[in-house]
Amino acid sequence: MSDLPESGHTAVRRGNRARIVLWVVLALVLLVILAVAWVGVRGVLAKGHLERAVADVSTLRSQLTSGDTAGVQQSAARLEDEASAARSLTSDPVWGVAQYTPLVGANFRAMREVSAVVDDVARGAIKPVAGVVGTFGTDSFAPKDGKVDLEPIEQAQPAVARATSTLAKAAKDAKAIDTSGTLSPITTAVGQLRNALQSASAQVDVANRVVELAPAMLGHDGDRNYLLLFQNNAELRAGGGIPGAVALLQAQDGSIHLQNQASTADFGHFDEPVLPLSDQTVGLYGKITGEYMQDVTLTPRFDVSAKLAQAMWQQKFGEQVDGVLAMDPVTLSYLLKATGPVQLPTGDTLTSDNAVTLLLSDVYAKYPDPKVQDAFFASAASAVFDKVSSGGFDPKAFIAAITKGAGEGRLRLWSATESEQRQISGTVLAGELPTASAQTRQFGVYLNDATGAKMDYYLQKTISVGAGVCRKDGRPTSIVEVTLKNTAPADAATALPEYVTGGGDFGVEPGKVGTIVGVYAPTNAIYLGSTEDGKPATVHTATDDGYPVAQIATLLAPGQSTTLRVAFLGDAKFANAALQVRSTPGVQQSTVEPLTVDCSDPAIG
């Protein structure tokens, strides 16, 4: 029994407890130090793996562009290893605790989530696509002996479909990463990841639709017939230009043949619209939309234009077509970069440099007879088609040409098969009206010629769009500004052929350009007002299938310009969405510039 008094025992017990507490605290401190060091070391390692993964992505891009299939396989394997290592380093228990520590935890959590997203993309998108890239490359769509081999495209379908779903999920996961408490470098990295995934997801989605649609649409399951509308931008229609030449294409298990050609003048006038037209279409564009092949593209809705063209062809030739394709001379000039120059029966040489000028301007002076002009257009389209269908082109340049033409709204596609049309819908090929979402608010600027001739070769167009919140309820006010200029020579009335000026046959003085401008907003918008050169404009307001439309007629003498402003009120939930404009493609591609909105602007009303 101890001789120490009770107070002494208490002091010893307290001293022991104090030492124990000190040891525990010291141990915890050491553990924290070790954990921080562990997390720090692993963080540095993970950062290195992610940086190398990014480098591998850059290498992959260049290898895909150059067609280095063996290199693609190797780079894809390295990328998968680097991404997997980064994910492993940021997913252990110590890291899991670190992501919940005050002040710095958000950075650890974001880095873990970034690593997971990159790893998912490497395993679920890059790896499967790299596995088939050896059999499916840029030349897969290049005909050999007049036929596209559809087997590699079909073999690629599962891999591309998996990549599509993986990237869509990755984009969603990246968007969900919380960067409200992260350091600037991590916030920037997450932002870059989101942008890259959004872009990649959209591009791969299009590729997925292509590989799913191509075999059937190229006649793998039975012959297909397509109507090709060759549009002339020198006489604008909302959908691109007046259809000048028409051709029937037949697809047979990967081979495409030009079956028949006709001028749109051959169709003449149908006594009544070939299909029922909505009151809104008639009110905006007239019954002629369904009565003349030249006018089916007065509406910007390509599905409507295509169905009308399909019905007209059937009534004229008794043939049912399975789809409609539209393109213009500018797209043809892009394709000529892939095919090289082609010789025409007239003796003319058509090149990427002279195609637009020759087809949309010089032809009228060189061949005054409209029938000869139509034959010239048909021979140009036929010559390029023959070279493409035979495989006489650079596949990479061809894909670039198609991509550029579609992106500029110069290439349109419609399928009479509902399941195929659903796949086309939502892509740049569909020719659909503008929409609104949390990401984007789209507007449409569509031009229809009112001269009745080919003066739109000289029509210059610039577009600006902007938005601001001018109301307490947070609803955004958007203004679309359109400036048109007649760049024809001052003596256009006498210097240009009558077929180009119109000769005043449709009420427009020779040399002047008459245009009807239609500005569309998404279905949730409300029209506010319009001005022309700062003064209230004479405007026709309407709706087109629920889309608010403001239509303004302009008339410009050579050298004259005018600026229109149209204002719409949008939905508050879309106030922060990026602004986009879809526009009728002219001879020259117009860019969309940002516009600062003043809440006192007269256009707002």
Side-chain angles (χ1 to χ4, degrees), residues 187-207:
T187 303
T188 300
V190 172
Q192 292 172 341
L193 178 66
R194 287 171 177 166
N195 292 336
L197 286 173
Q198 185 176 359
S199 174
S201 180
Q203 292 177 29
V204 173
D205 178 65
V206 172

Side-chain angles (χ1 to χ4, degrees), residues 523-549:
T523 54
N524 60 352
I526 299 173
Y527 170 75
L528 294 177
S530 303
T531 60
E532 182 172 6
D533 295 328
K535 299 177 181 180
T538 301
V539 60
H540 169 59
T541 58
T543 58
D544 188 354
D545 197 24
Y547 292 82
V549 185

Side-chain angles (χ1 to χ4, degrees), residues 26 87 90 113 181 247 327 372 408 448 471 502 533 537:
L26 181 60
R87 186 171 196 163
T90 58
E113 292 170 342
M327 64 181 295
V372 177
E408 293 178 356
N448 276 306
R471 294 161 51 106
D533 295 328

Side-chain angles (χ1 to χ4, degrees), residues 8 49 73 97 117 151 168 197 218 296 304 376 412 414 464 473 546:
H49 285 298
Q73 304 277 353
V97 173
V117 168
E151 185 177 350
L197 286 173
L218 288 174
V296 296
V304 174
F376 186 83
R412 295 285 186 245
W414 172 81
S464 300
D473 59 9

